[in-house]
Amino acid sequence: MNTLKNDLLLRTLRGEKTERTPVWMMRQAGRYLPDYRILREKYSFFERCQTPELATEITIQPVEQIGVDAAIIFSDILVVPQAMGMEVQMVESKGPLLPDPIKGMADLNRLALPDVEEKLGYVFDALRLTKKTLAGRVPLIGFAGAPWTLLCYMVQGKGSKTFDEAKAFCYTQPEAAHRLLQMITDTTIAYLRGQAAAGADVVQIFDSWGGLLGPEDFEQLSLKYIRQIVAALKDEVLTIVFAKGAWHSLEGMAATGANGLGIDWCIRPQMARKLAGPTVALQGNFDPAKLLSPIPVIEREVRAMLDDFTGGPGRNAGAHGYIANLGHGILPNVPVEHALAFVETVKNYQYEPAR
Amino acid sequence: MNTLKNDLLLRTLRGEKTERTPVWMMRQAGRYLPDYRILREKYSFFERCQTPELATEITIQPVEQIGVDAAIIFSDILVVPQAMGMEVQMVESKGPLLPDPIKGMADLNRLALPDVEEKLGYVFDALRLTKKTLAGRVPLIGFAGAPWTLLCYMVQGKGSKTFDEAKAFCYTQPEAAHRLLQMITDTTIAYLRGQAAAGADVVQIFDSWGGLLGPEDFEQLSLKYIRQIVAALKDEVLTIVFAKGAWHSLEGMAATGANGLGIDWCIRPQMARKLAGPTVALQGNFDPAKLLSPIPVIEREVRAMLDDFTGGPGRNAGAHGYIANLGHGILPNVPVEHALAFVETVKNYQYEPAR
């Protein structure tokens, strides 16, 4: 890690001073990039994930083309249910389909706690090859879905606005739900440990559907398991927790000991800092749809966000505990030059007290 | 209004004391009721809306079958874009489709500020007939979509997880966006005024997609227009504003002068009260998916919600400024007896300090 040429992200997560705010974008290795779309024409989703050369190429595209301060390995959160024994189909531009979802306790017998080296070794291979190819240019981020979000897909079987079947499963069969969440948690710990061993400098836990739960359910069905994952990993690798929409539990998420917390765009930076406390790094929170604005608007809005997170009298310039990012994944219809404007504006930002 | 046999809702909205907490459910006149589904087999969506006898029958079903403390007129928020000149198709169980959406300033010429008596008189007729048929049993609620939520459909043309095209329209063509929002606002004021004249005791403004906007965008694209609507109506009818997910702006919504604010289930009652201030009534916030739980769980969770909103030492029993409701519309797959358990538990609730 000491050999990194750009370790802004790592120092920020460790609470150290940096010359400037690091920046990356969730889903930065993806559909808005023409070079990605070329590979998508030629290879299926799982071919792209499971072939280390392809995953590495896709992972590095935004580092070279957009100039982000971190790479995040190209993969998907649903590789974990797949490794546990479920069939997962990726229907291009329609989202995932798990044709044989979990309906009750008996279905859990179909699942295994996998040997992650055997079932997910291709992710570790991709991380090792990416790490080597990056040659210290920027840090490498690994990731996994939070247990609650994976349960959503494993029970509902596909995307949903409400994931009401997944919730009903938890409310009517709590014993089965918690057993499933624990199986996912144990698998995820082994998986992320393997990612760290394979070269991930940071791991991010994505709880994309955490915001569908009320505060008490979030504690019981999500945070309880995220806490186990962070506790198991915190001495091995830097951790970021991103539970979209779960602003009400920022305090609890900070108490997990995670080094960083992702926040979406529906919370004011000051409020997020107040709820999360002074020590954890905050990551976010640009509205992904705002990258569809004209470039001058993007530049203005990014500077306003940076003012809020880092600027202003009394703020300790250089140790803001802030990582610039979007509040959710970049949308596929964002022009590349708009993504570039986002990243460039962060890199060129200087707080100007008298704007 | 003085002749109502049950005016719990109205007194709560006026900040007066009541014997118990009033209760109703968003989308209570709808798909979870077998008698509704029978009518749905026979008549198209717009036949049900536009035939006062049908709308009245559907509106009164939950009053008679579930025992709610208010009726809400059966209609849809998209009758307003329709009255303004847009084609709106309701594709059963697929959601709305507006085949010719607004793409720019020129498209606004296709829209008119309608004569609401002429274009939406069927809603007023339905309100009058419902009012008469209710014969003072419970108050009658009218409603409209918030301008931002209507813009979402008018620009995107259909439902969406992100409404990114609607947002991009606002970001790239702000002048057209604000002109459209103002046209919707003006129409909505006339429409809700007509609803009040036709017998609505309360009107609720639904901003279903308010939570997709960050705090600053919510102020500019939504609250600014909701404020106009509430200001225009507050001397004529009681108002409730429900902007799902926009917890960050509860203070601003309270400042509109609305009598009640809806809240979803992703905020703790104490926090909602703190943000909204002491005077406005709060309405919510049971997770609709939780009605899929076993009945004893529903009963326990409803009582916990009531404890949080109304109970506890130091709370002024009888004047809580609280209306029990769901945090969003009831799901179609909720068993009728579960909806009944929700309503009954509220009606039978008594705070027990030593539970």
Side-chain angles (χ1 to χ4, degrees):
Chain A
M1 268 192 260
N2 291 328
T3 62
L4 280 172
K5 294 180 194 79
N6 174 346
D7 62 354
L8 289 167
L9 176 70
L10 307 190
R11 282 188 284 145
T12 300
L13 286 169
R14 291 193 205 106
E16 297 169 16
K17 291 207 178 201
T18 57
E19 309 79 71
R20 66 163 173 85
T21 295
V23 55
W24 67 283
M25 294 181 298
M26 289 187 278
R27 287 195 180 249
Q28 65 186 15
R31 296 168 292 175
Y32 72 105
L33 282 176
D35 286 342
Y36 173 83
R37 292 199 295 264
I38 292 168
L39 292 176
R40 191 181 58 172
E41 293 297 309
K42 287 204 243 175
Y43 305 97
S44 76
F45 181 78
F46 284 114
E47 281 174 319
R48 301 195 299 278
C49 278
Q50 292 169 1
T51 312
E53 292 72 21
L54 289 174
T56 294
E57 182 177 346
I58 293 167
T59 300
I60 291 178
Q61 280 172 359
V63 176
E64 296 185 340
Q65 296 177 21
I66 313 288
V68 286
D69 291 314
I72 179 163
I73 193 70
F74 178 75
S75 186
D76 192 87
I77 61 170
L78 295 180
V79 299
V80 165
Q82 198 177 42
M84 292 173 76
M86 290 192 75
E87 184 186 344
V88 179
Q89 298 168 10
M90 283 292 178
V91 189
E92 213 68 73
S93 77
K94 277 206 68 177
L97 183 70
L98 291 77
D100 203 2
I102 302 294
K103 291 294 168 202
M105 188 67 94
D107 293 320
L108 301 185
N109 298 329
R110 292 197 267 126
L111 301 178
L113 288 184
D115 175 336
V116 294
E117 286 293 343
E118 182 198 329
K119 297 285 187 186
L120 293 161
Y122 64 86
V123 179
F124 306 150
D125 290 341
L127 283 160
R128 275 185 288 263
L129 182 61
T130 302
K131 190 79 183 165
K132 192 176 150 204
T133 314
L134 277 172
R137 278 177 282 179
V138 292
L140 178 56
I141 305 172
F143 70 91
W148 159 251
T149 288
L150 294 184
L151 178 147
C152 280
Y153 288 105
M154 292 168 86
V155 173
Q156 192 95 16
K158 56 180 193 289
S160 164
K161 268 191 211 169
T162 57
F163 281 101
D164 56 312
E165 291 175 41
K167 285 180 165 184
F169 173 76
C170 296
Y171 298 148
T172 56
Q173 304 182 68
E175 203 189 326
H178 284 286
R179 199 170 130 194
L180 175 55
L181 289 164
Q182 190 61 54
M183 289 176 79
I184 302 169
T185 300
D186 294 342
T187 306
T188 301
I189 289 170
Y191 178 45
L192 289 176
R193 196 164 266 155
Q195 292 191 31
D201 301 294
V202 179
V203 294
Q204 177 157 323
I205 299 158
F206 284 88
D207 200 5
S208 309
W209 305 117
L212 294 178
L213 296 171
E216 184 57 31
D217 280 345
F218 182 74
E219 168 59 35
Q220 294 305 323
L221 299 172
S222 180
L223 190 52
K224 200 167 155 180
Y225 297 94
I226 290 174
R227 203 177 281 131
Q228 289 184 40
I229 298 169
V230 174
L233 291 163
K234 62 195 265 189
D235 295 331
E236 296 174 38
V237 64
L238 293 162
T239 53
I240 302 172
V241 172
F242 175 49
K244 184 169 179 296
W247 64 275
H248 49 70
S249 297
L250 279 170
E251 187 182 351
M253 286 188 265
T256 62
N259 303 92
L261 299 182
I263 51 175
D264 66 34
W265 63 97
C266 292
I267 184 167
R268 292 179 185 87
Q270 296 83 347
M271 178 65 112
R273 178 52 76 197
K274 192 176 147 194
L275 292 172
T279 50
V280 70
L282 292 176
Q283 173 175 282
N285 72 341
F286 203 75
D287 183 347
K290 208 156 254 187
L291 288 187
L292 299 169
S293 306
I295 286 175
V297 176
I298 294 172
E299 292 170 340
R300 187 189 69 213
E301 298 275 332
V302 171
R303 282 195 293 267
M305 173 178 77
L306 286 152
D307 287 352
D308 279 344
F309 276 106
T310 73
R315 300 301 298 265
N316 181 6
H320 303 298
Y322 173 57
I323 300 154
N325 203 320
L326 308 177
H328 202 195
I330 188 168
L331 294 165
N333 52 342
V334 168
V336 172
E337 54 278 25
H338 289 210
L340 263 167
F342 176 78
V343 170
E344 286 297 317
T345 306
V346 177
K347 289 181 163 183
N348 295 329
Y349 173 79
Q350 296 231 307
Y351 176 64
E352 291 166 37
R355 76 197 154 103
Chain B
M1 267 191 261
N2 291 327
T3 62
L4 280 173
K5 295 180 195 77
N6 173 345
D7 63 353
L8 289 167
L9 176 70
L10 307 189
R11 282 189 283 146
T12 300
L13 286 169
R14 291 194 204 107
E16 297 169 17
K17 289 206 180 202
T18 56
E19 309 77 71
R20 67 166 173 83
T21 297
V23 55
W24 65 283
M25 294 181 298
M26 289 189 277
R27 287 197 181 246
Q28 65 188 17
R31 296 169 290 175
Y32 72 105
L33 282 176
D35 286 342
Y36 174 83
R37 292 198 297 263
I38 291 169
L39 293 176
R40 191 180 59 173
E41 293 298 308
K42 289 205 241 172
Y43 305 98
S44 76
F45 181 79
F46 283 115
E47 281 173 319
R48 299 193 302 274
C49 278
Q50 291 169 2
T51 312
E53 291 71 21
L54 289 174
T56 294
E57 181 178 347
I58 293 167
T59 301
I60 291 178
Q61 280 173 359
V63 176
E64 297 185 340
Q65 297 177 21
I66 313 288
V68 287
D69 292 313
I72 180 164
I73 192 70
F74 178 76
S75 186
D76 192 88
I77 62 171
L78 295 179
V79 298
V80 166
Q82 198 178 43
M84 292 173 76
M86 289 191 78
E87 184 187 346
V88 178
Q89 299 168 8
M90 283 291 176
V91 189
E92 212 69 70
S93 77
K94 276 204 70 177
L97 183 71
L98 291 78
D100 204 3
I102 303 294
K103 293 293 167 202
M105 188 66 96
D107 294 319
L108 301 185
N109 298 330
R110 292 197 267 127
L111 302 179
L113 288 183
D115 175 337
V116 293
E117 286 293 343
E118 181 197 329
K119 297 285 185 187
L120 293 161
Y122 64 87
V123 178
F124 306 150
D125 291 340
L127 283 160
R128 275 186 288 264
L129 182 59
T130 303
K131 188 78 182 166
K132 193 176 147 203
T133 314
L134 277 173
R137 279 176 281 178
V138 292
L140 179 56
I141 306 172
F143 71 91
W148 159 250
T149 288
L150 293 184
L151 177 144
C152 281
Y153 288 105
M154 292 168 86
V155 173
Q156 193 94 17
K158 57 180 193 290
S160 163
K161 267 190 215 169
T162 58
F163 281 102
D164 57 310
E165 289 174 43
K167 285 180 164 184
F169 174 76
C170 296
Y171 298 148
T172 56
Q173 303 181 71
E175 204 188 327
H178 284 285
R179 201 170 129 196
L180 175 55
L181 288 165
Q182 191 61 54
M183 290 175 78
I184 302 169
T185 299
D186 295 342
T187 306
T188 301
I189 289 170
Y191 178 46
L192 289 177
R193 195 165 266 157
Q195 292 192 32
D201 302 294
V202 179
V203 294
Q204 177 157 323
I205 299 158
F206 284 89
D207 201 4
S208 310
W209 304 117
L212 294 177
L213 297 171
E216 184 58 32
D217 280 345
F218 182 75
E219 168 59 35
Q220 295 303 322
L221 299 172
S222 180
L223 190 51
K224 199 167 155 179
Y225 298 95
I226 290 175
R227 202 178 281 130
Q228 288 184 41
I229 297 169
V230 174
L233 291 163
K234 61 196 263 189
D235 295 332
E236 296 173 40
V237 63
L238 294 162
T239 52
I240 302 172
V241 173
F242 174 49
K244 185 172 178 294
W247 65 275
H248 49 70
S249 296
L250 280 170
E251 188 183 350
M253 285 188 265
T256 61
N259 302 92
L261 298 182
I263 50 175
D264 65 33
W265 64 97
C266 293
I267 184 166
R268 293 180 184 87
Q270 296 83 347
M271 177 65 113
R273 177 52 74 196
K274 191 176 149 195
L275 293 171
T279 51
V280 71
L282 292 176
Q283 173 176 283
N285 74 340
F286 202 75
D287 182 347
K290 209 157 256 189
L291 288 187
L292 300 169
S293 306
I295 286 177
V297 175
I298 294 172
E299 292 171 341
R300 187 188 69 213
E301 299 274 333
V302 170
R303 282 195 293 266
M305 173 178 79
L306 285 152
D307 286 352
D308 280 345
F309 276 106
T310 73
R315 299 300 298 266
N316 180 6
H320 304 298
Y322 172 58
I323 300 154
N325 203 320
L326 309 177
H328 203 198
I330 188 168
L331 295 166
N333 52 342
V334 168
V336 173
E337 55 276 27
H338 290 212
L340 264 167
F342 176 77
V343 170
E344 286 297 316
T345 306
V346 177
K347 289 182 162 182
N348 296 327
Y349 173 79
Q350 296 230 306
Y351 176 64
E352 292 166 35
R355 77 195 153 103

